[in-house]
Amino acid sequence: METPRIVDIFKQGQPHQEVVVQGWIRTKRELKDFAFLEVNDGSCLANLQVILAPELPDYPELLKQLNIGSSVQITGKLVESPGKGQKIELKAQEVRIYGNSNPETYPLQKKRHSFEFLRTIGHLRSRTNSIGAVMRIRNTCGQAIHEFFQSRGFIWVHTPIITANDCEGAGELFTVTSLDLNNPPKTAAQELDYSQDFFGRRAYLTVSGQLEAEVMASAFSRVYTFGPTFRAENSNTSRHLAEFWMVEPEMAFCDLQGNQDLAEAFLKQIFKTVLEKCPEDLEFFNQRIDNSVIATAENIVNNEFARITYTEAIALLEKADRKFEYPVEWGIDLQSEHERYLAEELFKKPLIVRDYPAGIKAFYMRLNDDQKTVAAMDILVPKIGEIIGGSQREERLDVLETRITPEARTELWWYLDLRRYGTVPHSGFGLGFERLVQFMTGMGNIRDVIPFPRTPMSAEF
Ligand code: ATP
Ligand code: MN
């Protein structure tokens, strides 16, 4: 017999139907004449209640072995549930235990555990309601992202994880090496001799797939990447990981306006999909984590994002009725406190800030006619701050050459070549996938929205 997933049993199961269910025991309750198990297989938040009657073979011995955390297969008949809430439960006819669990030492007990504690049991925490719901929403977000782009003719491209380009993430790069670090080759200047390393030069883990995505957009017009990126940032914040997933569309024949329009439509569609496909999981976060989660999602789907320039943002911050830790003046990089004030308190919805000072933004962003600002845009959201960073790229070779450092100019000869052979106006952005999931679920710490977080001093699981 085919084993349905529990989510399908709740959706389609009919009383009297015979089914086989496989999963892990979340709780066991023993009454005088019966016992109840709650079984979960990860397919949905709700557990399937299983009734064990004394007629089952070896009932007393069986009960002893059925413990919280055990993996089981239960064959039985679906019956209508007398309890409120669930409409169906399973009356067991045959129980098979795959793997027993010791209820004394099993770290997940029925009570609520702190997220800090759950991080110390990264191998088990996905069996909890909260991390389970996060991972299902994460999955749906991923699916919605692919659907959004695929339905618009974007090609999914795979940009490299190992890169030799160090022009972007100054100080935030992880080195990739196969040198024997206990006995490394040295140059005359007593520095590591990377010319003897695997690639014949120093290599890193990528901080972004953008430059390569631009290459691909120059052939396919519309592309996107969806892959891991790495930043050795030592900032122990609730919004930064050392390894995170980034979604980076890149569009030829697209200016900053088109870029903003796409990014807004993109976020709207993801939230819409999650509202439709994960109502139960979202409701869980709304009740347990942050009671504005659903209103926020609906707000995103139904309302236009605010759009202002950086210069306007600075003016609003200067007028703010509060003191910021980092003083505000034209030319500063917006800090998280500024971003949150704007999105959370002033606009109370996502906000796109564009046209930042050239001095604080990357060399590849297109210089505006004022010669002071570049065609950059960040999307700021309540609670998180920046969730998307993007720009129109500098497509004019002569202007790009004035903005790029001499080293980068040599190293990125191929990037400059794109401006020599059929250059076009083009734009793109990067969405931090975990920031999105964090924002969507209301989870306080980004470490709890990725299965295996990598942060300073922590990579155990
Ligand atoms: P921040 O100022 O918040 O560190 P950033 O300016 O470094 O962000 P970008 O380089 O523009 O970010 O990267 C694009 C997106 O990737 C960001 O908008 C954010 O959503 C995400 N992101 C950046 N750094 C991290 C990180 N360390 N962990 C998780 N997501 C990140
Ligand atoms: Mn950063």
Side-chain angles (χ1 to χ4, degrees):
M1 202 191 312
E2 186 194 342
T3 54
R5 307 213 70 200
I6 288 174
V7 66
D8 296 321
I9 291 181
F10 284 132
K11 269 193 214 140
Q12 296 148 13
Q14 297 297 329
H16 312 301
Q17 192 184 340
E18 204 166 283
V19 294
V20 182
V21 169
Q22 296 164 324
W24 290 264
I25 298 178
R26 285 285 180 87
T27 63
K28 170 170 84 170
R29 263 186 311 144
E30 290 181 53
L31 305 180
K32 202 158 114 270
D33 299 325
F34 288 100
F36 293 105
L37 301 178
E38 301 258 346
V39 177
N40 191 287
D41 66 358
S43 63
C44 60
L45 187 68
N47 303 321
L48 182 66
Q49 172 146 287
V50 177
I51 312 151
L52 303 168
E55 296 84 69
L56 283 167
D58 297 327
Y59 182 71
E61 185 52 29
L62 187 66
L63 266 197
K64 263 189 237 150
Q65 288 187 36
L66 290 171
N67 287 311
I68 182 165
S70 303
S71 47
V72 290
Q73 169 175 294
I74 295 167
T75 310
K77 265 210 170 111
L78 295 179
V79 292
E80 243 168 283
S81 173
K84 64 170 178 221
Q86 270 171 33
K87 57 182 204 317
I88 213 120
E89 51 193 45
L90 179 65
K91 194 154 192 292
Q93 291 164 337
E94 197 189 314
V95 178
R96 171 175 171 194
I97 300 175
Y98 283 100
N100 207 341
S101 157
N102 182 342
E104 309 294 318
T105 56
Y106 186 57
L108 288 173
Q109 296 298 323
K110 210 184 157 200
K111 64 170 185 145
R112 265 200 226 179
H113 299 285
S114 72
F115 290 118
E116 287 77 15
F117 170 72
L118 291 178
R119 274 173 233 143
T120 69
I121 50 165
H123 58 311
L124 296 171
R125 70 173 187 164
S126 289
R127 299 185 192 183
T128 61
N129 284 339
S130 43
I131 305 294
V134 164
M135 296 310 155
R136 281 186 298 273
I137 287 185
R138 189 181 159 106
N139 171 59
T140 302
C141 287
Q143 200 190 352
I145 286 166
H146 282 298
E147 269 168 23
F148 177 85
F149 289 125
Q150 293 291 333
S151 71
R152 282 170 171 73
F154 284 67
I155 301 258
W156 181 22
V157 296
H158 303 90
T159 49
I161 288 170
I162 299 175
T163 172
N165 149 33
D166 66 349
C167 309
E168 256 212 278
E172 292 184 351
L173 290 152
F174 286 103
T175 296
V176 176
T177 180
S178 62
L179 290 178
D180 175 2
L181 292 181
N182 286 316
N183 185 21
K186 295 270 178 71
T187 61
Q190 286 304 302
E191 288 172 339
L192 283 189
D193 184 5
Y194 287 106
S195 72
Q196 297 188 46
D197 203 348
F198 192 91
F199 299 105
R201 58 193 293 178
R202 190 164 179 184
Y204 310 89
L205 291 177
T206 186
V207 295
S208 152
Q210 181 204 317
L211 302 188
E212 291 89 353
E214 285 186 53
V215 170
M216 301 306 272
S218 305
F220 300 100
S221 310
R222 298 174 185 184
V223 301
Y224 68 106
T225 73
F226 190 167
T229 44
F230 307 86
R231 297 190 186 179
E233 37 200 344
N234 238 322
S235 49
N236 247 312
T237 78
S238 60
R239 298 170 299 109
H240 288 92
L241 291 162
E243 175 179 297
F244 63 100
W245 287 66
M246 185 127 80
V247 181
E248 295 178 277
E250 191 69 36
M251 296 82 71
F253 314 104
C254 178
D255 62 10
L256 191 69
Q257 171 82 36
N259 203 14
Q260 294 175 80
D261 292 345
L262 188 91
E264 178 167 348
F266 172 64
L267 286 178
K268 282 188 152 76
Q269 173 141 345
I270 302 170
F271 277 85
K272 186 161 179 272
T273 305
V274 173
L275 277 166
E276 280 164 13
K277 290 197 174 176
C278 306
E280 202 191 14
D281 289 323
L282 265 192
E283 184 59 43
F284 171 85
F285 290 109
N286 208 62
Q287 279 179 18
R288 295 288 187 87
I289 304 291
D290 174 351
N291 63 12
S292 65
V293 157
I294 291 182
T296 300
E298 285 169 348
N299 182 6
I300 287 186
V301 175
N302 298 321
N303 293 299
E304 289 192 349
F305 294 6
R307 299 189 188 193
I308 60 173
T309 64
Y310 168 91
T311 303
E312 286 163 346
I314 291 294
L316 290 170
L317 290 167
E318 280 172 342
K319 272 196 291 190
D321 53 1
R322 75 172 57 196
K323 263 190 97 74
F324 295 106
E325 192 185 328
Y326 294 88
V328 175
E329 63 173 320
W330 200 96
I332 61 154
D333 204 356
L334 295 185
Q335 300 295 318
S336 171
E337 57 171 343
H338 306 135
E339 298 178 340
R340 289 188 55 176
Y341 169 77
L342 291 168
E344 206 164 311
E345 295 180 44
L346 220 50
F347 287 92
K348 298 189 167 48
K349 62 178 180 178
L351 164 71
I352 312 183
V353 181
R354 66 174 187 280
D355 299 329
Y356 284 76
I360 56 168
K361 290 290 187 185
F363 69 89
Y364 51 71
M365 298 189 177
R366 192 177 195 280
L367 192 63
N368 286 327
D369 291 344
D370 64 12
Q371 306 292 318
K372 282 191 334 203
T373 60
V374 288
M377 62 128 190
D378 281 359
I379 301 193
L380 316 178
V381 297
K383 308 232 165 76
I384 310 279
E386 179 185 335
I387 192 169
I388 281 180
S391 64
Q392 182 170 344
R393 322 304 188 188
E394 186 55 75
E395 86 283 14
R396 300 161 297 187
L397 182 63
D398 53 333
V399 183
L400 187 59
E401 285 187 320
T402 65
R403 301 254 298 137
I404 197 167
T405 64
E407 301 82 60
R409 193 179 163 179
T410 316
E411 239 180 76
L412 293 179
W413 62 271
W414 50 271
Y415 186 75
L416 296 176
D417 253 9
L418 297 178
R419 278 75 183 161
R420 288 192 181 96
Y421 307 116
T423 192
V424 287
H426 62 291
S427 300
F429 61 81
L431 164 81
F433 188 51
E434 285 74 22
R435 295 242 179 120
L436 169 77
V437 179
Q438 198 187 354
F439 178 43
M440 180 151 328
T441 56
M443 292 291 283
N445 197 310
I446 198 166
R447 295 163 201 215
D448 303 323
V449 300
I450 185 166
F452 303 101
R454 265 75 187 111
T455 51
M457 307 308 289
S458 159
E460 182 160 7
F461 302 100

